[in-house]
Amino acid sequence: MSLTDSSLHYILRDFDKDELARKKAYLEDKVATFNAQGSKVSLTITDNYSNMREMVEPHPHIIDIAKQAMESCEVKPNIKPIRGGTDGARLSFMGLPCPNLFTGGYNFHGIHEFITVQGMELAVKVIVQIAKDTAIRYR
């Protein structure tokens, strides 16, 4: 790359496959427009992970197990959609549906992200409860 070159990197995410495809098409269209005007723009799109929802949703019992374990441990479940980007997303697409569970952390993805010892202890307690409930349920 020379001093006159630029490189831009984006992470495209969406909860909906069609919307993600629309975003990709938008970038492809812009590249074509720039190149038609004489620019030399290239675009490489690499899919890293997909929305794990499509792999987890057909198995609602795994959400129920996590929810029940949290309630048993006096943790209020806060169920909200998450796109992926986790080990759970990768594992889900390998055939092991893995909903994300709480970690007890705060201020995610920033320099002030942290977790308390009490939060870690609660997260461990919930995981152990999931193991116990699953062992009983699927014996």
Side-chain angles (χ1 to χ4, degrees), residues 6 8 27-28 30-36 38-44:
S6 295
L8 304 172
L27 288 177
E28 290 166 344
K30 291 300 169 194
V31 167
T33 300
F34 289 138
N35 287 335
S39 297
K40 293 181 182 176
V41 178
S42 64
L43 174 67
T44 302

Short mmCIF file of all heavy atoms in Angstrom, two decimals, residues 6 8 27-28 30-36 38-44:
data_model
loop_
_atom_site.label_atom_id
_atom_site.label_comp_id
_atom_site.label_asym_id
_atom_site.label_seq_id
_atom_site.Cartn_x
_atom_site.Cartn_y
_atom_site.Cartn_z
N SER A 6 -5.81 3.97 0.62
CA SER A 6 -6.57 3.92 1.87
C SER A 6 -7.18 2.54 2.01
O SER A 6 -7.48 1.88 1.02
CB SER A 6 -7.71 4.95 1.86
OG SER A 6 -7.19 6.24 1.83
N LEU A 8 -10.25 0.64 4.36
CA LEU A 8 -11.33 0.77 5.33
C LEU A 8 -11.82 -0.62 5.70
O LEU A 8 -11.95 -1.49 4.84
CB LEU A 8 -12.49 1.58 4.74
CG LEU A 8 -12.15 2.97 4.22
CD1 LEU A 8 -13.35 3.57 3.51
CD2 LEU A 8 -11.71 3.88 5.35
N LEU A 27 -22.93 -1.64 -0.21
CA LEU A 27 -21.48 -1.42 -0.36
C LEU A 27 -21.02 -1.80 -1.77
O LEU A 27 -20.22 -1.07 -2.37
CB LEU A 27 -20.71 -2.23 0.68
CG LEU A 27 -20.80 -1.74 2.12
CD1 LEU A 27 -20.03 -2.67 3.04
CD2 LEU A 27 -20.29 -0.32 2.26
N GLU A 28 -21.51 -2.91 -2.28
CA GLU A 28 -21.14 -3.33 -3.64
C GLU A 28 -21.57 -2.29 -4.67
O GLU A 28 -20.83 -1.99 -5.60
CB GLU A 28 -21.78 -4.70 -3.95
CG GLU A 28 -21.14 -5.82 -3.16
CD GLU A 28 -21.95 -7.11 -3.16
OE1 GLU A 28 -23.15 -7.09 -3.52
OE2 GLU A 28 -21.37 -8.15 -2.80
N LYS A 30 -21.98 0.96 -4.12
CA LYS A 30 -21.13 2.16 -3.97
C LYS A 30 -19.78 1.94 -4.65
O LYS A 30 -19.25 2.84 -5.30
CB LYS A 30 -20.95 2.52 -2.50
CG LYS A 30 -22.19 3.03 -1.85
CD LYS A 30 -22.67 4.28 -2.56
CE LYS A 30 -24.04 4.70 -2.12
NZ LYS A 30 -24.65 5.68 -3.00
N VAL A 31 -19.21 0.75 -4.49
CA VAL A 31 -17.93 0.44 -5.13
C VAL A 31 -18.09 0.54 -6.64
O VAL A 31 -17.25 1.13 -7.34
CB VAL A 31 -17.42 -0.95 -4.69
CG1 VAL A 31 -16.28 -1.42 -5.58
CG2 VAL A 31 -16.97 -0.91 -3.23
N ALA A 32 -19.17 -0.03 -7.17
CA ALA A 32 -19.42 0.02 -8.62
C ALA A 32 -19.57 1.46 -9.09
O ALA A 32 -19.05 1.84 -10.15
CB ALA A 32 -20.66 -0.80 -8.97
N THR A 33 -20.26 2.28 -8.31
CA THR A 33 -20.44 3.70 -8.66
C THR A 33 -19.11 4.44 -8.69
O THR A 33 -18.81 5.17 -9.62
CB THR A 33 -21.41 4.38 -7.66
OG1 THR A 33 -22.67 3.71 -7.71
CG2 THR A 33 -21.59 5.85 -7.99
N PHE A 34 -18.30 4.23 -7.65
CA PHE A 34 -16.98 4.88 -7.60
C PHE A 34 -16.12 4.46 -8.79
O PHE A 34 -15.47 5.28 -9.43
CB PHE A 34 -16.24 4.56 -6.30
CG PHE A 34 -16.82 5.22 -5.08
CD1 PHE A 34 -16.94 4.52 -3.90
CD2 PHE A 34 -17.24 6.54 -5.10
CE1 PHE A 34 -17.47 5.12 -2.76
CE2 PHE A 34 -17.77 7.16 -3.97
CZ PHE A 34 -17.89 6.44 -2.80
N ASN A 35 -16.12 3.18 -9.08
CA ASN A 35 -15.30 2.66 -10.17
C ASN A 35 -15.80 3.16 -11.52
O ASN A 35 -14.99 3.41 -12.43
CB ASN A 35 -15.21 1.14 -10.13
CG ASN A 35 -14.31 0.67 -8.99
OD1 ASN A 35 -13.43 1.40 -8.54
ND2 ASN A 35 -14.53 -0.55 -8.53
N ALA A 36 -17.09 3.34 -11.67
CA ALA A 36 -17.65 3.88 -12.92
C ALA A 36 -17.23 5.33 -13.13
O ALA A 36 -17.20 5.82 -14.26
CB ALA A 36 -19.18 3.77 -12.91
N GLY A 38 -14.24 6.34 -12.38
CA GLY A 38 -12.80 6.35 -12.59
C GLY A 38 -11.96 6.00 -11.38
O GLY A 38 -10.73 6.01 -11.45
N SER A 39 -12.58 5.72 -10.28
CA SER A 39 -11.83 5.33 -9.09
C SER A 39 -11.35 3.89 -9.22
O SER A 39 -11.81 3.15 -10.08
CB SER A 39 -12.71 5.46 -7.84
OG SER A 39 -13.10 6.80 -7.64
N LYS A 40 -10.43 3.53 -8.36
CA LYS A 40 -9.95 2.14 -8.29
C LYS A 40 -10.23 1.63 -6.88
O LYS A 40 -9.38 1.65 -6.00
CB LYS A 40 -8.46 2.06 -8.59
CG LYS A 40 -8.13 2.41 -10.02
CD LYS A 40 -6.65 2.29 -10.26
CE LYS A 40 -6.32 2.69 -11.70
NZ LYS A 40 -4.88 2.67 -11.95
N VAL A 41 -11.47 1.20 -6.69
CA VAL A 41 -11.92 0.73 -5.38
C VAL A 41 -12.17 -0.76 -5.46
O VAL A 41 -12.76 -1.25 -6.42
CB VAL A 41 -13.22 1.46 -4.97
CG1 VAL A 41 -13.73 0.95 -3.63
CG2 VAL A 41 -13.00 2.97 -4.91
N SER A 42 -11.70 -1.47 -4.46
CA SER A 42 -12.00 -2.90 -4.39
C SER A 42 -12.73 -3.18 -3.08
O SER A 42 -12.60 -2.43 -2.11
CB SER A 42 -10.74 -3.74 -4.49
OG SER A 42 -9.90 -3.49 -3.39
N LEU A 43 -13.48 -4.24 -3.08
CA LEU A 43 -14.27 -4.61 -1.91
C LEU A 43 -14.12 -6.10 -1.67
O LEU A 43 -14.26 -6.90 -2.59
CB LEU A 43 -15.76 -4.27 -2.15
CG LEU A 43 -16.75 -4.72 -1.08
CD1 LEU A 43 -16.53 -3.96 0.22
CD2 LEU A 43 -18.18 -4.52 -1.58
N THR A 44 -13.82 -6.45 -0.44
CA THR A 44 -13.77 -7.85 -0.04
C THR A 44 -14.73 -8.02 1.12
O THR A 44 -14.62 -7.31 2.13
CB THR A 44 -12.35 -8.26 0.41
OG1 THR A 44 -11.44 -8.00 -0.67
CG2 THR A 44 -12.29 -9.72 0.80
#
